[in-house]
Amino acid sequence: MPKVVHNKLLGGWYVVRGPHHTPLSGRFATRAEALAWLARRA
């Protein structure tokens, strides 16, 4: 199940999956933008 996380090192919100947080999409300015992207994909 993909989830939204904030990556301090890269400075943005990312949609990731798996135990190693493999990015599916990223560098969103806000968590809401990342959640909207995820909702469109579901």
Side-chain angles (χ1 to χ4, degrees), residues 8-27:
K8 291 179 185 172
L9 187 63
L10 299 175
W13 291 91
Y14 291 82
V15 177
V16 299
R17 69 176 166 84
H20 301 293
H21 285 185
T22 305
L24 298 177
S25 182
R27 198 143 193 307

Side-chain angles (χ1 to χ4, degrees), residues 20-41:
H20 301 293
H21 285 185
T22 305
L24 298 177
S25 182
R27 198 143 193 307
F28 296 100
T30 65
R31 185 172 192 267
E33 287 178 22
L35 289 172
W37 182 89
L38 190 56
R40 285 194 303 269
R41 292 251 331 206

